[in-house]
Amino acid sequence: MPIPTWRLAVVAVVAAALAFVSPFGLLGTVIGVTALVLVLLIGDAAAAPAPATIRIPRRLPAAVTVGQADRVRWTVDNPLGRPITVAVADQLAPSLGADNRRFRTRLPGRGRAEASTGIRPTRRGACLLYTSQSQRDQLSYRVCRLL
């Protein structure tokens, strides 16, 4: 689901200011400005890429000893010909002791970005990573189940 950007808030504030100085009457101007903001919001949402088109593979080490540091790496590919901003939140197992589970990056058209975070496992055992389908929105999520 697209998240409204700061640009929409600026448009709404400017439109509200214009409504108060408009010579066409307050009610008509407010209705017109509200319709304009809604059209811009719908257009912005329609122009946003579907989340399923953005591939974000995760690379994990095969094994990490408890208390020893290693890294988890993500690669984000932009299949579109225009720049996009991507915010990622990964559901890493808490016992991995990840430094960060989120990152945000700006990708150029057909570009690629990489991000990583440190991990330091705090408990023993294997962690099985598998991909599950969400019934609600058909997106793939990686899930970690401790064995």
Side-chain angles (χ1 to χ4, degrees):
M1 175 177 177
I3 299 170
T5 62
W6 61 270
R7 292 183 301 263
L8 182 65
V10 169
V11 167
V13 168
V14 169
L18 290 175
F20 285 107
V21 297
S22 173
F24 302 113
L26 186 61
L27 182 60
T29 304
V30 168
I31 291 172
V33 166
T34 302
L36 175 65
V37 170
L38 286 175
V39 166
L40 291 173
L41 174 66
I42 291 168
D44 195 30
T53 63
I54 310 297
R55 298 281 178 218
I56 309 172
R58 179 200 303 148
R59 293 186 313 276
L60 294 163
V64 181
T65 305
V66 172
Q68 297 298 312
D70 211 328
R71 300 207 64 78
V72 173
R73 293 170 178 80
W74 299 274
T75 303
V76 185
D77 289 312
N78 179 5
L80 305 175
R82 61 186 173 84
I84 59 171
T85 300
V86 178
V88 177
D90 198 343
Q91 189 177 357
L92 296 170
S95 63
L96 285 176
D99 295 336
N100 195 355
R101 291 178 169 84
R102 298 173 184 266
F103 66 92
R104 183 181 179 101
T105 187
R106 178 94 173 144
L107 297 166
R110 309 241 182 264
R112 170 179 282 181
E114 294 193 5
S116 68
T117 189
I119 58 171
R120 187 177 298 271
T122 58
R123 59 187 264 200
R124 293 178 49 198
C127 180
L128 171 67
L129 288 172
Y130 66 94
T131 302
S132 71
Q133 289 291 106
S134 167
Q135 298 301 320
R136 186 179 63 129
D137 55 9
Q138 299 302 311
L139 295 177
S140 294
Y141 291 97
R142 288 187 188 90
V143 179
C144 182
R145 177 176 292 163
L146 291 172
L147 301 175

